[in-house]
Amino acid sequence: MGLGYSVREVDHLYAFFVQWSPEIYGKDAKDQGFVVVEKDELEVIDNFFSDPIPKSWEIITIEEAKRRQSVGSFYEEEAEDLQPVLTDPSVLLEGFHIEKLTQHLPARTQGYAWRLMYSTAVHGTSLRTLYRSLAVVDTPVLLVVKDMDNQIFGALASHPFRLSDHCFGTGETFLYTFNPQFKIFRWSGENSYFIKGDRDSLELGGGSGHFGLWLDADLYHGRSKPCSTFNNETLSKKEDFIVQDLEVWTFV
């Protein structure tokens, strides 16, 4: 099988041969010709002429192009299948909210449908009703708040909200906000003030008298401040906010 070289490649090739075998290819050589090289030398030659810049293109058959296209389509469909199914409509969550949150949910919630357990649009504004709605739940819950500034934020709680004499929950709990872009605030390890359910308020995160997210008994007034549990930023535009709508989702 013949090999073709450009003029530039031939020049480089000849210069290389002259350097390595001047007695054969140099100007003082008696008989110019070919020379047998050792395997190690051959690898040096190969490396010398190898292109250090990877090609941004390649020649493939039509069959290979079709195969790659079909594989790409498969993975695109698979990615879409990973999106959770919402068994109930949401007045707060849009596709990009769900996509972002899904990427950070605990592994034990992945692959499960999202079920709406409480919504102010459906159940009214009552913390007591919220507790009652979650009484039969034993999975993590996703709290979604929309304030009067149309900002979306909330928390993933490792345990359902309930009345408690002390803080409960685990390091799975985190706060998040879409104000102005998506951010997530995980457990800092500084304390374990994850969740506290009182009759007159719901608290997530704490330290030095500040709550990461606080809601009153009517689920109407709220507050968000940086707290040591999550080292979070203020989730809303203003520390004190008015709730426009609120939803709590579970995973089944």
Side-chain angles (χ1 to χ4, degrees), residues 4 213 217:
L213 181 57

Side-chain angles (χ1 to χ4, degrees), residues 101-121:
L101 290 169
T102 300
Q103 296 172 9
H104 299 279
L105 294 178
R108 62 190 177 116
T109 68
Q110 299 291 343
Y112 289 92
W114 293 17
R115 174 178 294 176
L116 184 62
M117 298 301 297
Y118 178 84
S119 169
T120 53

Side-chain angles (χ1 to χ4, degrees), residues 19-205:
Q19 179 180 355
W20 278 79
S21 303
E23 72 280 5
I24 299 177
Y25 294 97
K27 62 181 181 178
D28 297 327
K30 296 180 180 178
D31 298 313
Q32 295 188 357
F34 296 99
V35 62
V36 177
V37 298
E38 298 294 332
K39 182 178 179 180
D40 292 341
E41 295 178 345
L42 184 60
E43 290 178 354
V44 172
I45 296 173
D46 289 340
N47 293 334
F48 182 85
F49 289 106
S50 63
D51 188 355
I53 302 176
K55 294 183 176 64
S56 60
W57 53 269
E58 63 176 316
I59 298 174
I60 60 175
T61 64
I62 295 177
E63 289 76 12
E64 174 65 9
K66 290 180 179 179
R67 187 191 70 80
R68 295 187 185 183
Q69 185 176 13
S70 63
V71 170
S73 299
F74 170 78
Y75 284 114
E76 288 175 4
E77 292 174 2
E78 188 179 55
E80 292 178 359
D81 291 340
L82 293 176
Q83 292 297 318
V85 174
L86 274 61
T87 61
D88 308 275
S90 173
V91 299
L92 302 182
L93 293 172
E94 299 181 21
F96 73 96
H97 295 127
I98 298 170
E99 179 184 355
K100 290 292 186 181
L101 290 169
T102 300
Q103 296 172 9
H104 299 279
L105 294 178
R108 62 190 177 116
T109 68
Q110 299 291 343
Y112 289 92
W114 293 17
R115 174 178 294 176
L116 184 62
M117 298 301 297
Y118 178 84
S119 169
T120 53
V122 177
H123 303 95
T125 55
S126 169
L127 183 57
R128 181 175 298 182
T129 303
L130 188 157
Y131 290 148
R132 191 162 51 246
S133 298
L134 298 179
V136 297
V137 175
D138 61 357
T139 68
V141 294
L142 180 68
L143 171 67
V144 185
V145 178
K146 184 176 184 179
D147 65 11
M148 289 299 183
D149 291 319
N150 293 317
Q151 300 301 314
I152 299 290
F153 51 89
L156 183 285
S158 61
H159 294 72
F161 304 129
R162 64 174 187 268
L163 286 170
S164 60
D165 296 328
H166 51 78
C167 291
F168 63 95
T170 70
E172 283 183 324
T173 305
F174 63 77
L175 303 179
Y176 70 88
T177 183
F178 286 90
N179 172 36
Q181 66 272 344
F182 179 71
K183 290 183 180 180
I184 184 172
F185 305 99
R186 294 193 180 276
W187 181 36
S188 67
E190 293 187 34
N191 61 49
S192 299
Y193 303 149
F194 299 113
I195 311 163
K196 179 69 166 63
D198 295 327
R199 294 186 181 278
D200 57 355
S201 66
L202 175 64
E203 304 155 6
L204 291 109

Side-chain angles (χ1 to χ4, degrees), residues 118 120 124-128 130 202 215-222 242-246:
Y118 178 84
T120 53
T125 55
S126 169
L127 183 57
R128 181 175 298 182
L130 188 157
L202 175 64
L215 296 167
D216 71 356
D218 296 323
L219 301 178
Y220 182 68
H221 292 94
I242 302 297
V243 175
Q244 182 178 155
D245 279 301
L246 180 149

